[in-house]
Structure formats: structure tokens, C-alpha cells
Amino acid sequence: MAQIPFDASYWPGINPLWSKTLTVESTAPVEAAGTSRTWHYLDNIDALEGREYVGTILCVHGNPTWSYLWRSVIAAATDAERPWRVIAVDQIDMGFSERTGLVRSLEDRLADLGDFTAAVGLDDTQLPVVTLAHDWGGLISLGWVLAHRHLVRGVMLTNTGVFHDYREKLPAALRLALAPKFHPFGTSKTTAFLDVTLGLTQGGLPKDVRATYRAPYRTESRRAAIQHFVGDIPFNPGTKSHPFMVKIAEGIKTLDVPAFFQWGTKDPVFQRKYMMDLIRRMPHAQVHRYENASHLVAEDEDIASPIMSWLTQHFVDEQTHRQAHTQARASLHGSANYLSMLSEITARSNDSSLAVVDMGGDGTEVIAQKSWAQLAAEVNRLAAGLSQLGVKRGDRINLMVPPGSRLTAILYACLKIGAVVVVADTGLGAKGLTRALKGAQPDFIVGIKTALLAAKTLGWPGARISADALPAPALKALGALGSIADFAPVSLFEVEEADPDADAAVLYTSGSTGPAKGVVYTHRQMAGMRDAIKNTYGLKAGTGLVAGFAPFALLGPGLGCTSVTPKMDVTKPKTLSASALASAAAAIDATAIFASPAALVNVVATADELTAAQRQGLSSVNLLLSAGAPIPLPLLEKVQQLLPSASLHTPYGMTEALPITDVSFETILAAHDDGENELHTTPMVGAGNGVCVGTAVYGAQVRLAPLNAHGVPAAELTEEPGITGEIVVSAPHVKDRYDTLWVTEETSIQNPGWHRTGDVGHFDAEGRLWVEGRLAHVMVTGQGVLTPVAAELAAETVAGIKRAAVVAVGPSGTATPVAVVETHEKMPAGQAPFDLTQQVRSAVAEHTGVDLAAVLVVDEHPTDVRHNSKIDRPLLAQWADKILSGKKAKLA
């Protein structure tokens, strides 16, 4: 490939009008008095063609990039309805700026940037100035900010670091670059450092883009500053730039201007710890983590669109989306009476009746139980002990303890202290769990021995506290501060009640539709969840609750219910047996059961093991709740046979809002008898009714954002029946926000006061909601916009089909729908036999009008572990595409 010259017309993504040079007198200590240096920089001022702009974005690159890094931001700022001027510098000795042959330190570069902004006239502007920086440009730009507080109205950063604790090792890549034998060879004598940096993307750079990044650094002399930049890293107090780094790192703690960080979490250089350090120094910053981006996050992700949205909200609009959302939410729900989650435990601290029970052994044995008085005393003991170990209000504390009375007591102790509970279960797998915990960055982890061993091995953040009684040598080996078993009893532990609007918990989603997301709840929202369940289902003090679904095990004491945790592996819900369920119910004379659909499948499958007495005991249950995934009618019918006196309910909800709607078995049967298929006739979305999930629970409201011909939801919301759209909900118990996922949160609150769920469905004529699938799984085909659930349910009516998933193969707009099925009798993976294909195609066409292009067979669908039901349709679609193309493929 031909070399890219110093001519902006050859730089892909660059408007030649942006490229400029300016000669500036230098005040850098390294320079002789009166010396001037020529800067190259990008500036879109001429491309704005006299349009009035909001303010100026000052962009500062790091090592070894140059102003080219910011081309997408410059383009977006230029094209915006309310444009911004963007000035992106090439630091001296970098990019196409002048080469001086001098070794510049952080102090020199701070002076350089100040000289440049004064010369370009930025110091005299009356408009807002916002900085944007990456890599070592972050430290330099923030030093400039502290010296120009009168100008700066905002700070934006991508992967960078402002402080390195010399007691910790530098990232491996930087240690190698600093190694005496490698330092000059890897940084200036060869292009190794440059090449490695340009390789820090997830998809690789296009050849012309890579060549443009390399263009200013063709010779050793032009790469000298790459070496000097690395050599100036302030990795210990003995380095020249260390005091300047410390001054800047401490100084930014006083910055009160809006801040926005976008971060690629796969960066091996500026790792999450540098992001968390910045957040601790600027806790008001809004943050978005890109789980699939690396060091050059601007090349991996669209950072420009979020930047323009953030700038518009802070400098053009009267209020931010967050502020509008908070106001609208308050208007929709008012200020309902608030009772903390601890209120029942506190009120019943002298009550000797049962509060919590654990089952063990073969599932029939009670292995632990506590009265309300004992539970209150245990909560006080744990709260006092955790406080003595340093846990304080606002600290994040990850709980890695199996559901049961022990976890319940620890949870409520944390709520009492005001610590923020982080719940990410092992169903995410080691990789997903590690990602989640590194995202949440808990200050402490309370876990059983195996969890603490995993924390040590996998590098999970947080000071460790053992939930198990362990000898001192074992605690030391695990790096644990102590064990909760050693906490001394206390007669009373008084602490000021947490602010209702302070964070209470970070709950992680299942990760079935992408990397698991941390969902933040305040104390008020946790209480709202309790109240929604309590008032929807009439639960009250004295209710005996079997908690076979982990979230409800923790809600039991808050509801005032006597709760029992059956013997099962909660990360594998299909391990709950009928016998274990019946024994748990008998232990507390249960009247209510919460269990996941996957758990109920195994309960029904093992019902033959029940004794006559166990069957009789289950007949006393009057309420069953099952949430997490749709439940087929045949399964509900079998569950009803096991629980003949129970009203069966399948609430619909998600980690962000649980529950949203409720539906009973009787309502489901009535809905299917109402001729729903005749109502739902919107041509774009095909026919079919999906899964009926009923009507809104106590305190909730539900609307739809209709899908257009491209499968995109509209901005306006509707309650009109028969129209498929994204399901949108508002309720006092809807999440506060996503944790450090600003872009995701912005999408979810685009209608102020409402949460966009990412599910699609429609209302019937009776106002009942029907779920048709995930928005991400909507298929834009040659037959129109199709949703998957109705076709899948139709396919499952064919004899021999155990489970079906319908996916689209081919380009959006002309894609064809394909069914991928599991069969009761094992078949070779690949295209289904002719007879089965015809039966499935006929059933789907008859029930929904959808014409399947093919039917494929797999041994087992890829699903999430937590629910064992949420199918990874994108993975199936990739597999199906390869199979239909005649290629060999395996489901990874």
C-alpha cells in the first residue's frame, strides 16, 4: 500500500478543511526562551460555514495516536443540528506537529497545551469549553482543565488513567515497554509499540485507517516522542512527572463540572481499576462501559453519538433526560408512603414465631430455622460485625452465599447499614460472573469458602469476608478479613435509617441477551417491589412461602411471610424435585409457592415420587407464582393437578421491573377462548397471539411503542389493541438505572417516566398484554416484520417437538424465517426429515400465516443457565445460516 502523505485529502474520514497548522511560542521548561513550535491540529471551524456553534470541544490524544483519533466526533459535531467547534491537537513531537528532538515531560506538555489554547484564541472564548481525551491525553487535558477552570464547563474521557499507585504493578504491556533492554527498541527503533497499540481493537482496523494512523511515524526520529512518552510514565515517586500526576489526580476531586466517561473494558492497558479510580475522584461522572471494546474504544464503538447526546442535554436542553425521567416518574406515581424493607423484622423483633427455614439432606430435612426474634438478633449481630470490619454506608458488598436463612440475614444486615448489595449469581458462569463483578467493583465480598477461593483465583474485586466458620490459617490463605461466624452477639445495633432514595442493591440480569447488566435499585424501589407483590397477591404476615425462585427468597422477610428455601441448586432451577418442594411446604404449612418455570418442569417430571401425605400437603397451597419465562399450557395443567387448591399465576417481569403484569391460569384459558387470533391482524407483524401475561400489577402502568415496517419502535406510546410494539412500563418499583451503562440507560428512558423493556407484544380487546418475543429477535423478512413466539408455539403443537425457536436467516428486509427444533427422540443435527419439516411448516402456516423456509434439528438449544429457557436466538441464527449454506457448523 502506498504511504499516506501529510495531506488531509488522503486521510479517510477527514474533511481537508479541518487540517490546520499554527506556530506558537513555547513556554515549556524544556524549551529555550523565545522558541516557537509549529502545531498541526484539526479544527472544523471553516466547515461550520459561519453557523453559530454551542461551544468548543478540545480533544487531546495519547501515545502513540494523533488527532485522527477524533475524526468521528468532529464529523458528528459538524453535522449536528446545534453544532460544536472541535479542536483536536497533535501534541508537539506527535502526529504531524513539529519534531523538536527534545524529551518532553508531563510538565512540558501541560505548558504546551496552555500555549496552544492561548494562541488559537480559546482562552478568550465566552462559549462553553468541554475537553475530550484518551490515554495519556487524559492526564494532560485534566491538568489543563485545572489551570483553566474559568473556561471549562465539562470533561469527557475515554480509556485513560490519572493516577497509578506505585505499590501496584503497571499493566504488563507498559512494564515491557519500560524494560531497559526493550524500551528504545520497542518504541522508536521499531514500530512495535505503535503496531501493538493499533492492534488494541476488537475487530481490527481497516488497512487505510491503520496506514493513516502510522503515517506520522515512518522513521525512528519521528517516533522519538513515542519512546519519550513511555519513559515519562510516573510509575513511582522517583519519576520526574510523579508530583504533577499526584497534583492533578487530587485536584480533579474538586471539579464540579459535568463529566462523561466512555470505556472499553477489554483494554489491557487502562484497565477497569483506572476507570474506578476516576469514578471515585469524580463520583458525579456519568459512565458507559463497552464490554466488547478495547483500548482504542473510539475505533470499536460509536462514541460520537453518545457524546453529542450528552452535550446537547447539558448545554442546549433545559434539562437532562435523567432529570426529565425523575420528574415524570414522580408525577406518575406521587410520593407513596414508604416503609423500609427492614420494617417487618424490626416490628417483630420479639416475635417467637417462625421467620425463615432451610431444608437440606435429601430435601426432606429441616437443617436450620429462625424465629422473627432470632432473625432480628442475627441481623443486628451481622450489621455490627460488618461495620467493625469497615463496611460503611454506600459501600458495595457482593454476596456469594447460597439462598437460605444465612443469606437472608446478611442481606438485611447490609440494608440496615446502608451498604449496597451486589447480587450476581453463579448461573452467569465464571466468565460472566467475573465480568459482572469487575463492572460492579464491590468494596467487599462476603462468600462461602469456594466463592472466596474463586475471588482470589479470578481476581474479583473487594476485600474478602468469609461466610463460613474457618480457622485463622484458612482465612489468611484466602486473604479474608475475618468470618461472620466470629462476629460477637450484640444486644442492640442502632443506626440511622438509610435514605429511601440511596442505592440499595445492584442486581444482575441473566445475561441471556448480551453481557449481564447491573440494575440499580434504591431502598424506595426495593420497597416498591415488595409492595407490588404484597398488594397484587394479598400476601401478609402469617403467609407460609416456599421460595424456589431466588429473588423471592430474599423478599420473604420484607413481606412479613414465613419463608422456606427448598433443597435445590438455585443456579440450576431444574434440580428442584417434587419431593423437595412438598417437604419444604410441609415444614411451614405453606400456602404460597414461588418457583421458576424450569423448576416446575422438573417438579412435574418427578411427581411420581410423591407420597400420599406429600400430595395431601400440597393440596393446602392456595397460590403459585412462577416468573422468569413463559409457561406452556400443558405444563400449567399438570401443575394444577399437583396443586388442586392453588390459583396459578405467571407474573411477567424482568430484573429491571419485577413484576410488571400478572395473569392467572383461568385468565390464560379464557384469553385463548376469546378468538384472540382474529383480533391481532396488523399486517406487518403477522398473525398469532404469543403468550398472554395479563394486566398490570399493583402500581404499574403498561404501554406499547408500535413497530414500524423496519421493526423499529416509535417514540409515541399507545394502549390501542391489536398493535405490536415494544413493551414499556412505569411503576414505583422499576429500576433506578443501569450501573455505569449510560448509553443503555438513555435508551431505556427515552420516554420520561417509563422503562423500555426490550420485549415486544400487543394488547387484546380486553386490555390483556400478550408477549411476542424480544425486540432484538424481531425478524424483518420478505414476509414483513415477524415476531418469534407465536410461530414457536405453533411449531411446538407438532407431535415429537420438545421446543422450538424461530430465527431469520439472510439480510434484514429479505431474510427468511427458519425453525430450529429440539425433538423428544434424538435426531441428527441439521435439516429435519421431510415429514417433520412438512408438519412443522403446516402448523406454523395454519396458526400464524408465516411460511418457514426450513426446519432444522438440534440436540439442545443454547439457553441461559439461570432460567434454562431463554434461547440464544442470534447464535441459532448464525448456526442455521451455515447449515443452510452447506457448511459444517457446531453450536458453540
Side-chain angles (χ1 to χ4, degrees), residues 807-810 816-820 830-832 852-856 876-889:
V807 299
V809 174
T816 55
V818 172
V820 184
Q831 298 204 36
L852 295 175
V855 178
L856 306 179
L876 277 182
Q878 294 172 14
W879 175 82
D881 187 40
K882 291 178 181 177
I883 293 295
L884 294 174
S885 299
K887 301 175 182 177
K888 291 184 179 181

Side-chain angles (χ1 to χ4, degrees), residues 512-574:
S512 59
T513 55
K517 299 182 287 291
V519 178
V520 180
Y521 277 86
T522 64
H523 290 267
R524 189 186 303 279
Q525 289 152 359
M526 291 278 285
M529 184 191 302
R530 174 203 62 200
D531 295 342
I533 293 169
K534 182 176 183 178
N535 290 296
T536 299
Y537 301 108
L539 299 178
K540 56 185 182 298
T543 298
L545 170 66
V546 180
F549 187 47
F552 294 110
L554 301 176
L555 281 172
L559 289 161
C561 298
T562 300
S563 55
V564 58
T565 303
K567 174 66 181 297
M568 64 181 293
D569 181 347
V570 292
T571 68
K572 298 175 182 177
K574 57 186 177 182

Side-chain angles (χ1 to χ4, degrees), residues 176 178-186:
L176 176 62
L178 279 166
K181 292 183 178 179
F182 183 81
H183 180 50
F185 176 81

Side-chain angles (χ1 to χ4, degrees), residues 118-176:
V120 83
L122 193 57
D123 289 11
D124 300 322
T125 183
Q126 301 301 308
L127 298 176
V129 175
V130 179
T131 58
L132 171 60
H134 174 255
D135 193 86
W136 294 112
L139 194 60
I140 295 164
S141 72
L142 290 170
W144 181 89
V145 166
L146 293 175
H148 295 77
R149 288 177 184 250
H150 62 290
L151 288 176
V152 178
R153 297 292 178 267
V155 170
M156 300 184 292
L157 297 168
T158 61
N159 291 48
T160 186
V162 296
F163 182 76
H164 177 75
D165 188 336
Y166 68 91
R167 291 165 295 189
E168 296 183 359
K169 288 184 177 181
L170 281 170
L174 295 182
R175 291 202 306 273
L176 176 62

Side-chain angles (χ1 to χ4, degrees), residues 41 228 473 730:
Y41 63 105
H228 300 155
S730 183

Side-chain angles (χ1 to χ4, degrees), residues 356-360 365-369 403-406 563-566:
V356 289
V357 176
D358 296 336
M359 306 297 291
E365 178 186 353
V366 173
I367 58 171
Q369 61 183 32
S405 59
R406 178 172 54 171
S563 55
V564 58
T565 303

